[in-house]
Amino acid sequence: MHLKSLELLQFKNHEKTQLQFSSEINCFVGLNGSGKTNVLDGIHYLSLTKSAVQSSDSLNVQHEKDFFAIKGQFELAEEKQLEVRCTVELGKKKQIYQNGKALAKTSEHVGLIPLVLIAPDDTELIKGGSDGRRKFFDGLISQLDHAYLDQLIRYHHFLKQRNALLKKFAETGRRDLTLLDKYDLELIDLSIILSARRNELLRVMAPLLQSHYSEISQGQELVSVIYETEALREDFAGYFKSLRKKDLITKNSNAGIHKDDFGFMIGEHPIRKIGSQGQQKSYIIALKLAQFQIFEMEKGEKPILLLDDIFDKLDDLRIAQLMKLISQHTFGQLFLTDARPERSKKILSELDSDVFFFSIKEGVIGKIES
Ligand SMILES: Nc1ncnc2c1ncn2[C@@H]1O[C@H](COP(=O)(O)OP(=O)(O)OP(=O)(O)O)[C@@H](O)[C@H]1O
Ligand SMILES: [Mg+2]
């Protein structure tokens, strides 16, 4: 599977950008702020129906405009063609079209175009709060498993309702506990199902993470992800209910998979606390390569890989390891960005792959070389 062409209309600083791609390597070069990451983000929309950088769709509409549109032509297995279009109009619902047909729910599209992104601020996954880690793993499993995404959406719906109810109790001083019981049951059931799936993913991922880490860092350390959840406890329902008093006081739900975390470990210790910068970067890349491999194993095809600013953030050893993987054709179609054209040209021209270079200036594509 690969993306043959892309059109960005009024998407961030791209007024109108039309591109034809190599099925192997595509490299965007240009100054800081020229619009390189925005192109990758457009591709991200076509796979995951949302931005990787901006959680609000409307902020991606070009200033002073009232909509954006992104269109991509994909070639799937057996030369099947798929046109994906995503439109966001201010004040309206986001729409996804497959071959011109609007989908009832944008989430139906997730998983059809598997995609892995490696970006500069990825170490936030390590340093930031648990929310980012849950989003990462949820995004990963959602691309593999539709039922998971549907159940996760249901979970968040019930959680919102339950929290609103707890607030209403506090405001009105009246408590309808049977309604609360109903939400409890839903959240307990879904937590048990979703945590089992998260746990299963980590089991599959563990050996892949280790082998990629060892390869990239050339190090001996053991690395792992520890799943921190209450939902796998045998008496989870009892645990959930035991927190009701606290829930009523805090007006919040204190148990459930929205409280889960994932401990990124090096040896016995959290890498956040003891890992060097280099170890943290290797860990993140290993995690993303493990994601790539899982998609490839489970979907039977290589996902699209986006590498944003990768040369800036990695040292020579890690770049060399990554280029070795590229030259061994480990990856399928690759999109990367670099603010320093000479560097990426030098590194990529040493590969025997078909490479297209796009130079970008203020959201306009200039010279294209291959
Ligand atoms: N809604 C919007 N309307 C117009 N321009 C926008 C909008 N959102 C972001 N931009 C512009 O997009 C530009 C940033 O683009 P992008 O992040 O793709 O840069 P980049 O080429 O990746 O830069 P760097 O090398 O620094 O990573 C900024 O100039 C920003 O002002
Ligand atoms: Mg960028």
Side-chain angles (χ1 to χ4, degrees), residues 31-38 40 53 120 308-309 337-339:
L31 299 176
N32 295 130
S34 57
K36 305 180 295 293
T37 299
N38 293 347
L40 299 194
V53 282
D308 195 11
D309 259 347
T337 69
D338 193 2

Side-chain angles (χ1 to χ4, degrees), residues 34-63:
S34 57
K36 305 180 295 293
T37 299
N38 293 347
V39 176
L40 299 194
D41 210 31
I43 299 171
H44 196 271
Y45 257 106
L46 294 181
S47 165
L48 285 133
T49 78
K50 61 182 181 190
S51 166
V53 282
Q54 179 57 264
S55 57
S56 156
D57 290 317
S58 55
L59 290 177
N60 292 321
V61 174
Q62 191 161 70
H63 301 148

Side-chain angles (χ1 to χ4, degrees), residues 5-23:
S5 63
L6 176 72
E7 187 177 311
L8 304 173
L9 197 62
Q10 301 177 178
F11 181 67
K12 298 198 245 198
N13 71 337
H14 291 264
E15 166 89 46
K16 184 167 183 175
T17 291
Q18 286 173 305
L19 302 164
Q20 308 280 335
F21 294 128
S22 161
S23 62

Side-chain angles (χ1 to χ4, degrees), residues 309-332:
D309 259 347
I310 202 81
F311 301 133
D312 246 6
K313 308 294 160 181
L314 294 185
D315 51 40
D316 292 346
L317 169 73
R318 275 168 267 260
I319 291 177
Q321 290 301 322
L322 209 61
M323 289 306 126
K324 196 171 114 199
L325 291 175
I326 294 177
S327 67
Q328 292 164 346
H329 297 280
T330 306
F331 305 125

